[in-house]
Amino acid sequence: ISICRDLPNIEVITFSVNGISDLEPLNQCQNLSELYLRKNNITSLNELFYLKNLPRLRVLWLSENPCCGSDPHHYRMTVLRNLPSLQKLDNQAVTEEELSQALVDGEEITAPPGRRSVENGCPESTESSAAESTMETESELLNFSLEETNKIREELGMKPVPRDKFSSFSPRETDCNRKKRNNVLNAILLLMKELDAEGLEVVQQTVGRRLQAFRKKELQEE
């Protein structure tokens, strides 16, 4: 998720099912309008502090995170009190009545949470990590990421990625590296929407050179 610090103009972010617990990298994304974060490891609603100054944020999907707690009313009211510009929360439209009630029942968040040692949504701790208790199985992670990636590719008029190619990672690769790669891929595909024909040609030429370099390296290793 740290890649978002370098994407201030991005408008839609999908990071669902990624073990993310820190939203601080999003606080510079001033054009962000839709943010999908379901099934991550966001433990505190204080993370909303980093979203409060995003003027265009209209859609947020935060359900199935630990921060939702056992009281859905308190959770929803707290989110809406701090993000009153939302039009949809967790795939449910926000009403004027809810926004008024949120001023009474919601909790005002005025400070960021205590920071944990996390980078790119991958906890440094091992078996005892709370993130692991909420992580999806590898198969479900890959299915979800593949679905999200192919949705973006479809919008760009590109062919979907076959599952055998999408999931053909080296066995030595960690879950963290795999998720980071998927996030970078999704970010690149989203940003391609902002390019004109000249920009896309530059991307095509750059990709071509990179592929040639990789193929040359593979031949040398063989």
Side-chain angles (χ1 to χ4, degrees):
I1 192 174
S2 60
I3 190 176
C4 294
R5 294 192 181 97
D6 300 321
L7 304 173
N9 296 318
I10 195 166
E11 297 181 11
V12 179
I13 294 177
T14 299
F15 278 151
S16 298
V17 198
N18 268 291
I20 289 169
S21 59
D22 175 9
L23 301 186
E24 184 273 334
L26 300 175
N27 67 358
Q28 299 298 319
C29 300
Q30 292 295 297
N31 288 331
L32 187 62
S33 62
E34 298 181 26
L35 178 59
Y36 301 93
L37 292 167
R38 60 182 286 272
K39 287 192 177 182
N40 277 287
N41 192 44
I42 301 169
T43 59
S44 172
L45 286 175
N46 283 357
E47 293 290 341
L48 295 174
F49 178 82
Y50 300 116
L51 307 181
K52 293 182 69 171
N53 294 320
L54 303 183
R56 300 186 179 182
L57 187 61
R58 297 294 180 267
V59 177
L60 174 65
W61 200 327
L62 194 60
S63 64
E64 299 175 84
N65 274 278
C67 66
C68 298
S70 58
D71 186 345
H73 177 74
H74 177 264
Y75 152 72
R76 189 171 177 87
M77 291 296 98
T78 295
V79 174
L80 295 182
R81 176 164 182 172
N82 291 277
L83 303 174
S85 296
L86 287 181
Q87 297 176 354
K88 186 177 288 188
L89 172 61
D90 298 338
N91 208 32
Q92 182 178 342
V94 175
T95 66
E96 291 295 333
E97 291 77 8
E98 283 184 310
L99 291 174
S100 298
Q101 191 63 38
L103 295 175
V104 178
D105 296 346
E107 179 182 345
E108 179 73 18
I109 294 172
T110 59
R115 187 51 55 223
R116 299 159 297 281
S117 297
V118 176
E119 177 64 26
N120 290 322
C122 298
E124 292 180 358
S125 54
T126 55
E127 288 92 7
S128 61
S129 169
E132 291 194 3
S133 65
T134 60
M135 290 292 286
E136 301 294 317
T137 63
E138 181 175 340
S139 177
E140 185 172 350
L141 275 170
L142 290 175
N143 284 335
F144 189 88
S145 298
L146 177 60
E147 180 182 353
E148 292 294 324
T149 299
N150 281 338
K151 281 182 181 178
I152 297 169
R153 292 176 70 90
E154 183 180 355
E155 292 178 7
L156 293 168
M158 302 167 66
K159 293 181 179 180
V161 180
R163 178 180 172 79
D164 60 339
K165 291 187 177 181
F166 187 83
S167 59
S168 59
F169 299 102
S170 166
R172 293 174 295 176
E173 222 175 13
T174 65
D175 285 343
C176 183
N177 288 337
R178 179 170 57 248
K179 286 178 287 185
K180 181 177 179 180
R181 179 188 290 185
N182 291 345
N183 289 340
V184 171
L185 174 61
N186 287 339
I188 291 171
L189 292 173
L190 285 167
L191 288 172
M192 285 177 64
K193 295 180 182 180
E194 306 296 322
L195 298 177
D196 56 14
E198 183 179 355
L200 289 171
E201 287 179 0
V202 172
V203 172
Q204 184 180 37
Q205 293 170 5
T206 303
V207 170
R209 289 194 294 269
R210 290 277 289 169
L211 284 173
Q212 288 179 354
F214 276 121
R215 288 166 182 163
K216 183 178 180 180
K217 183 179 179 181
E218 289 175 354
L219 290 174
Q220 292 174 343
E221 290 177 350
E222 290 177 358

